[in-house]
């Protein structure tokens, strides 16, 4: 299934009341789906920047050119990860892997498990 179709399907399902979908992937620059109970979230920005944060504050991101953390500039590659001083772990991966993680997580919260 193409990635865009997976995202549209994920954002359009009916979920239990603890899940909030914000934005519309096809017409918004910023779309997210959030588990209000534990903070797990998928964020899609500008259709090319993806992130998924789990309840343990682990964060998966698509690769960026560089980022600053703990006073240093980092140049991440797919498969690399960084843990910063506040304990958040940044894992760099593909947008397909991020969407697959989100689908697996949020499917457990579909309304009536339908």
């Amino acid at each position: 299934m193409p990635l865009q179709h997976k995202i549209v399907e994920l954002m359009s399902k009916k979920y239990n009341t603890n899940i909030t979908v914000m934005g519309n992937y096809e017409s918004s620059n910023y779309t997210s789906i959030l588990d209000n109970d534990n903070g797990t979230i998928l964020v899609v920005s500008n259709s090319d920047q993806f992130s998924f944060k789990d309840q343990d504050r682990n964060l998966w991101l698509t690769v960026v050119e560089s980022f600053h953390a703990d006073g240093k500039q980092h140049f991440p590659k797919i498969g690399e990860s960084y843990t910063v001083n506040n304990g958040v772990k940044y894992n760099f991966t593909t947008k397909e892997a991020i969407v697959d993680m989100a689908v697996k997580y949020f499917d457990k919260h579909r309304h009536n498990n339908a």
Side-chain angles (χ1 to χ4, degrees), residues 3 10 17 23 32 43 46 51 56 71 87 89-90 92-93 100 108:
L3 183 64
L10 176 67
T17 57
S32 60
V43 177
N46 299 321
S51 65
D56 297 318
K89 184 175 182 180
Y90 293 85
F92 292 91
T93 189
D100 287 345
K108 295 184 282 187

Side-chain angles (χ1 to χ4, degrees), residues 2 9 18-19 34 57 61 64 97 99 103 107:
E9 186 175 285
N18 62 308
I19 304 300
L34 168 69
R57 296 182 43 186
L61 304 152
V64 294
V99 170
V103 167
D107 269 354

Side-chain angles (χ1 to χ4, degrees), residues 80-103:
E80 291 184 340
S81 58
Y82 298 87
T83 303
V84 292
N85 287 341
N86 64 5
V88 175
K89 184 175 182 180
Y90 293 85
N91 302 284
F92 292 91
T93 189
T94 64
K95 55 188 171 185
E96 292 82 5
I98 290 169
V99 170
D100 287 345
M101 283 186 265
V103 167

